[in-house]
Coordinates of all heavy atoms in Angstrom, one line a residue:
D214 N 148.8 67.0 -157.7 CA 149.9 67.7 -157.1 C 150.4 68.8 -157.9 O 150.6 69.9 -157.4 CB 151.1 66.7 -156.8 CG 150.8 65.9 -155.6 OD1 149.8 66.2 -154.9 OD2 151.6 64.9 -155.3
S215 N 150.5 68.6 -159.2 CA 151.0 69.6 -160.1 C 150.0 70.7 -160.2 O 150.3 71.9 -160.2 CB 151.3 69.1 -161.5 OG 151.9 67.9 -161.5
A216 N 148.7 70.4 -160.2 CA 147.6 71.4 -160.3 C 147.6 72.2 -159.0 O 147.5 73.4 -159.1 CB 146.3 70.7 -160.5
A217 N 147.8 71.6 -157.9 CA 147.8 72.3 -156.6 C 149.0 73.3 -156.6 O 148.9 74.4 -156.0 CB 147.8 71.4 -155.5
R218 N 150.1 72.9 -157.2 CA 151.3 73.8 -157.2 C 151.0 75.1 -158.0 O 151.4 76.2 -157.6 CB 152.5 73.1 -157.7 CG 153.6 72.8 -156.7 CD 154.9 72.4 -157.3 NE 154.8 71.4 -158.3 CZ 154.6 70.1 -158.1 NH1 154.5 69.6 -156.9 NH2 154.6 69.2 -159.1
L219 N 150.4 74.9 -159.1 CA 150.1 76.0 -160.0 C 148.9 76.8 -159.5 O 148.9 78.1 -159.7 CB 149.7 75.5 -161.4 CG 150.9 75.1 -162.3 CD1 150.4 74.5 -163.6 CD2 151.7 76.4 -162.7
A220 N 148.0 76.2 -158.9 CA 146.7 76.9 -158.4 C 146.4 76.5 -157.0 O 145.5 75.7 -156.8 CB 145.6 76.6 -159.4
P221 N 147.2 77.0 -156.1 CA 146.9 76.6 -154.7 C 145.5 77.0 -154.3 O 145.0 78.1 -154.8 CB 147.9 77.4 -153.9 CG 148.8 78.1 -154.8 CD 148.2 78.0 -156.2
G222 N 144.8 76.3 -153.5 CA 143.5 76.7 -153.1 C 142.4 76.1 -153.9 O 141.3 75.9 -153.5
R223 N 142.8 75.6 -155.2 CA 141.8 75.0 -156.0 C 141.3 73.7 -155.4 O 140.2 73.2 -155.7 CB 142.4 74.7 -157.4 CG 142.7 75.9 -158.2 CD 141.4 76.7 -158.5 NE 140.5 76.0 -159.4 CZ 139.2 76.3 -159.4 NH1 138.7 77.2 -158.5 NH2 138.3 75.7 -160.2
M224 N 142.1 73.0 -154.6 CA 141.8 71.7 -154.1 C 141.0 71.8 -152.8 O 140.5 70.8 -152.3 CB 143.1 70.9 -153.8 CG 144.0 70.8 -155.0 SD 143.1 70.1 -156.4 CE 143.7 71.0 -157.8
L225 N 140.9 73.0 -152.2 CA 140.2 73.1 -150.9 C 138.7 73.1 -151.1 O 138.2 73.6 -152.2 CB 140.7 74.4 -150.2 CG 142.2 74.5 -150.0 CD1 142.6 75.9 -149.6 CD2 142.6 73.5 -148.9
Q226 N 138.0 72.7 -150.1 CA 136.5 72.8 -150.2 C 136.1 74.3 -150.3 O 136.8 75.2 -149.8 CB 135.9 72.3 -148.9 CG 134.4 72.0 -149.1 CD 133.7 72.0 -147.7 OE1 134.1 72.6 -146.8 NE2 132.6 71.3 -147.7
H227 N 135.1 74.6 -151.1 CA 134.8 76.0 -151.4 C 133.3 76.2 -151.7 O 132.7 75.2 -152.1 CB 135.6 76.4 -152.7 CG 136.3 77.6 -152.6 ND1 137.7 77.7 -152.3 CD2 135.9 78.9 -152.7 CE1 138.0 79.0 -152.2 NE2 137.0 79.7 -152.5
Y228 N 132.9 77.4 -151.5 CA 131.5 77.8 -151.9 C 130.4 76.9 -151.3 O 129.4 76.7 -151.9 CB 131.3 77.7 -153.5 CG 132.5 78.4 -154.2 CD1 133.3 77.6 -155.0 CD2 132.7 79.7 -154.1 CE1 134.4 78.2 -155.7 CE2 133.8 80.3 -154.8 CZ 134.6 79.5 -155.6 OH 135.6 80.1 -156.3
A229 N 130.7 76.3 -150.1 CA 129.7 75.4 -149.6 C 128.6 76.0 -148.9 O 128.8 76.8 -147.9 CB 130.5 74.5 -148.6
P230 N 127.3 75.7 -149.3 CA 126.2 76.1 -148.5 C 126.1 75.2 -147.3 O 126.8 74.2 -147.2 CB 125.0 75.9 -149.5 CG 125.5 74.9 -150.5 CD 127.0 74.9 -150.5
H231 N 125.2 75.6 -146.3 CA 125.1 74.7 -145.2 C 124.2 73.5 -145.5 O 124.4 72.4 -145.0 CB 124.5 75.5 -144.0 CG 125.5 76.5 -143.4 ND1 125.5 77.8 -143.9 CD2 126.5 76.4 -142.5 CE1 126.4 78.4 -143.3 NE2 127.1 77.6 -142.4
A232 N 123.2 73.7 -146.4 CA 122.4 72.6 -146.8 C 123.1 71.8 -147.9 O 123.8 72.3 -148.7 CB 121.1 73.1 -147.4
P233 N 122.8 70.4 -148.0 CA 123.4 69.7 -149.1 C 122.9 70.2 -150.4 O 121.7 70.6 -150.5 CB 122.8 68.2 -148.8 CG 122.3 68.2 -147.4 CD 121.9 69.7 -147.1

Side-chain angles (χ1 to χ4, degrees):
D214 280 354
S215 319
R218 245 192 318 280
L219 280 171
R223 292 298 294 153
M224 305 302 143
L225 301 168
Q226 194 203 27
H227 228 98
Y228 315 112
H231 292 92

